[in-house]
């Protein structure tokens, strides 16, 4: 099977976080201790940029791989039991940058939250590889 890459959906919160980190960098840069404050303020901005550009999902070799900066892993597609569509998970493994994504339940008790731009495309690929996946549509929340 050919490798398929799905970009992560980026929510409004991510843009606000990057803007806040950039403003913090500018404010601290012009304070008394330019180098110390500038370096300390640059760290959150660099983390935000890393998350922004390095979050994606890949389907290859019958596995779903997710990566978001330092969070990465893979799920055998055959172990996926259920996918909640349009849901948001507030705790747990969440390599995503937006709300209203997919909660993937696999194995017995494991779950991960992802938010691809092309939800329909990713779901089509996963269901084609594992017809036993149960899809549950949830009401979208305003997040």
């Amino acid at each position: 099977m050919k490798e398929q890459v799905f970009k992560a959906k980026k929510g409004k919160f991510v843009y606000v976080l990057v803007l806040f980190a950039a403003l913090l960098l500018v404010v601290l840069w012009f304070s008394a201790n330019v180098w110390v404050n500038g370096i300390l303020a640059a760290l959150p901005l660099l983390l935000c940029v890393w998350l922004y550009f390095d979050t994606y999902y890949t389907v290859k070799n019958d596995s779903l791989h997710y990566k978001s900066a330092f969070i990465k892993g893979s799920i055998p597609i055959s172990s996926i039991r259920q996918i909640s569509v349009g849901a948001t998970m507030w705790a747990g493994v969440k390599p995503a940058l937006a709300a209203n994504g997919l909660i993937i339940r696999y194995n017995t008790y494991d779950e991960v939250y992802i938010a691809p731009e092309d939800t329909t495309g990713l779901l089509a690929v996963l269901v084609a590889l594992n017809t036993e996946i149960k899809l549950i549509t949830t009401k979208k929340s305003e997040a």
Side-chain angles (χ1 to χ4, degrees):
M1 176 185 174
K2 182 181 166 189
E3 177 179 308
Q4 293 182 285
V5 179
F6 297 87
K7 293 180 181 179
K9 178 171 49 172
K10 282 119 177 137
K12 295 174 189 171
F13 179 73
V14 173
Y15 295 115
V16 171
L17 189 63
V18 170
L19 181 64
F20 176 75
L23 287 174
L24 180 66
L25 177 64
V26 170
V27 167
L28 291 177
W29 186 262
F30 291 109
S31 66
N33 251 342
V34 174
W35 291 106
V36 173
N37 289 339
I39 291 171
L40 290 177
L43 293 176
L45 180 62
L46 291 173
L47 178 62
C48 291
V49 170
W50 185 20
L51 285 167
Y52 185 87
F53 288 108
D54 197 34
T55 300
Y56 58 90
Y57 316 105
T58 308
V59 176
K60 66 178 176 180
N61 300 331
D62 295 327
S63 291
L64 171 65
H65 300 269
Y66 56 86
K67 180 149 178 15
S68 181
F70 50 85
I71 300 171
K72 61 183 174 179
S74 67
I75 302 167
I77 295 172
S78 61
S79 71
I80 298 175
R81 300 178 289 112
Q82 176 182 324
I83 300 176
S84 296
V85 181
T88 301
M89 190 167 82
W90 300 104
V93 180
K94 189 178 171 190
L97 303 175
N100 299 324
L102 305 172
I103 298 176
I104 299 176
R105 292 181 176 86
Y106 61 102
N107 294 334
T108 304
Y109 301 107
D110 298 319
E111 61 185 12
V112 65
Y113 174 80
I114 64 173
E117 280 182 353
D118 183 12
T119 300
T120 308
L122 179 59
L123 286 174
V125 170
L126 294 177
V127 170
L129 293 170
N130 180 358
T131 58
E132 300 295 316
I133 294 175
K134 183 179 176 184
L135 297 178
I136 298 174
T137 304
T138 59
K139 183 179 177 184
K140 291 187 178 183
S141 63
E142 296 296 320

